[in-house]
Amino acid sequence: MFNPYHEIGLDHFVEHMNDILGVDKLPSKLKKVRLEKQMTQQNLASIAGVPIRTIQQYEQRQKSINKASAETVYLLAEALGCDIKDILE
């Protein structure tokens, strides 16, 4: 009859809505900023000192950049010349 959204946690609800809306198919904020700056993943990895695989996982949403260490997010934002909030989801 209806989905019992009132009975599930907020994280589960957000995950479910993201699935419905296809948010995972949109480019991540990190990828958008990187492409705006005309940088490759390899360039970003070299400048930021962050492994390229980590950048790939954040861009493909295999790992959440919101759960990354503050140091990693800072290094990525600094290398991209942007604010930290610009790359967090």
Side-chain angles (χ1 to χ4, degrees), residues 24-41:
D24 59 336
K25 293 174 179 65
L26 299 174
S28 68
K29 288 184 175 182
L30 176 62
K31 185 173 184 175
K32 285 181 190 176
V33 172
R34 179 179 61 76
L35 293 175
E36 286 172 6
K37 303 291 182 172
Q38 299 180 345
M39 294 177 76
T40 65
Q41 290 176 338

Side-chain angles (χ1 to χ4, degrees), residues 28-74:
S28 68
K29 288 184 175 182
L30 176 62
K31 185 173 184 175
K32 285 181 190 176
V33 172
R34 179 179 61 76
L35 293 175
E36 286 172 6
K37 303 291 182 172
Q38 299 180 345
M39 294 177 76
T40 65
Q41 290 176 338
Q42 184 62 52
N43 295 135
L44 179 56
S46 297
I47 295 168
V50 175
I52 189 170
R53 184 65 188 130
T54 300
I55 293 169
Q56 291 169 342
Q57 290 172 327
Y58 292 148
E59 287 190 0
Q60 296 169 2
R61 293 190 174 96
Q62 293 172 349
K63 289 173 68 174
S64 173
I65 194 166
N66 296 341
K67 294 180 182 177
S69 72
E71 179 182 13
T72 299
V73 177
Y74 172 79

